[in-house]
Amino acid sequence: MPDKPLVGILMGSDSDWPLVQKAAETLKAFEVPFEVRVMSAHRTPDIAGAYASEAEGRGLQVILAAAGGAAHLAGVVAGHTVLPVIGIPVAGGALNGLDALLAVVQMPAGIPVATVTLGSAGPVNAALLAVQILGGRDPALRARFHAYKTQMAEKVVGADARLQSSLNA
Ligand code: RP5
């Protein structure tokens, strides 16, 4: 039987999936069990509200919510749960994502939504934030995150070494 999901990845439309799948890939790389759902704050408000209300009882620990345009999904979900919610603004439409970014980030006091960047770093960072949150009480997961950061630093050090040797050749 597959592990029970700890992270719920939500998106407002399946048109968001090409971007949002980077969150799924990142969680998979860290061996964090997750589920993926399409639901909308506007088109399926009852489903989104029910999902968020039931998430804690189902054992989820973090929710990622991606949406574009008037991106209310993360905020609506945050209004219905005490779980941490990470909003992923999706670029597109006439305002090219600025609308989504502001809709996700400008939450009223009391209902926080952690907001990541527009673009492909957004879903990756949302997943990494989820890993960091879950890692707070999972030493093995935290160790994987340490290794990830070390690897990233080694890449930069390697790139610098290659640049220095080409400049000094
Ligand atoms: C938002 O509107 C979705 O999250 C998507 O980013 C955007 C466009 O949705 P579709 O018209 O492609 O379904 O609700």
Side-chain angles (χ1 to χ4, degrees), residues 23-37:
E25 288 160 8
T26 304
L27 290 174
K28 205 176 267 180
F30 278 90
E31 299 169 39
V32 172
F34 60 88
E35 64 184 16
V36 185
R37 298 282 308 274

Side-chain angles (χ1 to χ4, degrees), residues 63-133:
I63 298 177
L64 315 187
H72 296 132
L73 183 59
V76 164
V77 166
H80 282 84
T81 184
V82 299
L83 297 176
V85 176
I86 302 168
I88 305 170
V90 177
L95 301 183
N96 206 21
L98 185 59
D99 43 1
L101 176 63
L102 295 179
V104 176
V105 80
Q106 289 287 26
M107 290 299 292
I111 311 290
V113 167
T115 307
V116 294
T117 182
L118 286 163
S120 61
V124 173
N125 280 348
L128 293 176
L129 259 178
V131 165
Q132 288 176 292
I133 292 168

Side-chain angles (χ1 to χ4, degrees), residues 11-13 15-16 40 42-43 66-69 90:
M11 66 199 106
S13 168
S15 65
D16 299 324
S40 164
H42 307 121
R43 292 165 174 161
V90 177

